[in-house]
Amino acid sequence: MSKKIDFSQGLETTSSSISNPTQIFKNQAMLHPSLLKLKDDKLLYSIREVAEITGMSYHFIAAKIRMNKIKAVQFGDRKFVYHFELKRILIEGIE
């Protein structure tokens, strides 16, 4: 049975925090420290990197990509996960 964790609980949305994306990211990072491991200049992450950042196994991430639960792009025989998809996984979780 999969369990979803709502990381958005506890975030107060005020007009100043909504207009400042950096503050929103810092609030999310406080709730999920793995967001701080992401590099802003990096667009794609390998399956191994995604596994290390999320703390999940390589095989679990690869299986979720095959099941289309994680969106990935393929270059040759390698698959990569976009930066924004990795953020989504960290914030929303995987079903």
Side-chain angles (χ1 to χ4, degrees):
M1 224 185 250
S2 65
K3 182 178 178 182
K4 277 191 151 183
I5 299 172
D6 185 11
F7 288 108
S8 64
Q9 290 179 356
L11 284 180
E12 294 188 20
T13 55
T14 62
S15 59
S16 62
S17 67
I18 292 172
S19 64
N20 186 352
T22 305
Q23 186 60 40
I24 293 172
F25 180 75
K26 286 180 182 176
N27 288 343
Q28 291 172 343
M30 287 188 320
L31 295 171
H32 203 293
S34 294
L35 286 170
L36 296 174
K37 295 179 184 177
L38 302 182
K39 299 175 183 171
D40 287 335
D41 61 339
K42 190 164 185 163
L43 179 62
L44 298 170
Y45 291 85
S46 69
I47 296 174
R48 187 157 316 282
E49 289 172 316
V50 173
E52 288 173 8
I53 291 169
T54 60
M56 298 175 199
S57 75
Y58 175 91
H59 298 289
F60 178 81
I61 298 296
K64 292 299 180 180
I65 289 172
R66 282 192 302 275
M67 295 167 54
N68 292 322
K69 299 287 184 180
I70 298 175
K71 295 175 188 168
V73 62
Q74 187 163 346
F75 291 105
D77 60 342
R78 297 189 65 198
K79 292 188 179 183
F80 296 91
V81 176
Y82 281 107
H83 180 87
F84 61 85
E85 179 70 2
L86 183 51
K87 276 187 181 179
R88 184 194 65 78
I89 292 167
L90 291 170
I91 294 168
E92 297 177 8
I94 305 170
E95 288 185 20

